[in-house]
Amino acid sequence: MKKSYIIAALMVVIAGVLLMSSSDELSTYSTFAEAQKNESKVKVVGKLLKDQPMVYNPEENPNYFSFFIEDAEGKAHKVVYSDAKPQDFELSEQVVVTGKMQGEEFMASDLLLKCPSKYKDDEISIKTKES
């Protein structure tokens, strides 16, 4: 067999392994109902409910922030983020949360804020230290 065929075959195998390892980052958005059925991490996109309470008290617990979002099906759930509240969080129109459901609460490990802008949509990605 030629050396070039072996190198090409190895490159195809490596590309396949890289694609498989990053497949969790290519996941589609779920709803809270799908998240309750799924035991692995899911991404839920939702509208930030600004009329619901946002709880963040850094003096009491700087790694606890909770808020409410409404998913694509119109179901609202409490989201608990185990890190500090992002700056200008209230300006967000949409929030993408990655995590798991625990009972009626969604435990988020990552946040992606979609902020309104006059010129273009800005996205702010926030990841916890553990993810």
Side-chain angles (χ1 to χ4, degrees):
M1 224 173 167
K2 288 186 176 182
K3 246 185 181 178
S4 60
Y5 290 141
I6 295 172
I7 292 172
L10 283 172
M11 291 179 79
V12 168
V13 169
I14 291 171
V17 168
L18 289 174
L19 186 63
M20 296 292 274
S21 67
S22 66
S23 66
D24 62 338
E25 292 295 320
L26 301 174
S27 64
T28 59
Y29 295 133
S30 299
T31 61
F32 286 122
E34 293 167 351
Q36 285 180 324
K37 297 175 192 172
N38 199 337
E39 293 189 18
S40 61
K41 283 186 176 183
V42 295
K43 291 182 181 183
V44 177
V45 64
K47 178 184 172 203
L48 179 62
L49 298 177
K50 297 177 183 177
D51 60 336
Q52 295 291 323
M54 291 183 208
V55 177
Y56 181 62
N57 187 351
E59 292 84 24
E60 188 177 308
N61 185 355
N63 293 323
Y64 180 88
F65 174 48
S66 68
F67 55 95
F68 287 82
I69 64 171
E70 184 179 276
D71 68 5
E73 293 180 340
K75 292 192 109 187
H77 277 277
K78 180 179 183 180
V79 176
V80 176
Y81 181 55
S82 298
D83 209 346
K85 177 182 168 187
Q87 185 177 356
D88 297 331
F89 183 80
E90 295 84 5
L91 300 177
S92 301
E93 299 250 330
Q94 280 192 324
V95 180
V96 179
V97 291
T98 304
K100 298 178 182 180
M101 288 293 292
Q102 273 188 353
E104 289 297 310
E105 294 180 345
F106 188 86
M107 306 304 287
S109 58
D110 300 329
L111 294 179
L112 176 67
L113 308 178
K114 297 191 175 190
C115 302
S117 174
K118 195 188 272 192
Y119 304 105
K120 64 180 178 102
D121 286 339
D122 295 328
E123 292 184 356
I124 305 167
S125 180
I126 301 160
K127 294 197 180 265
T128 60
K129 296 165 193 87
E130 63 189 38
S131 58

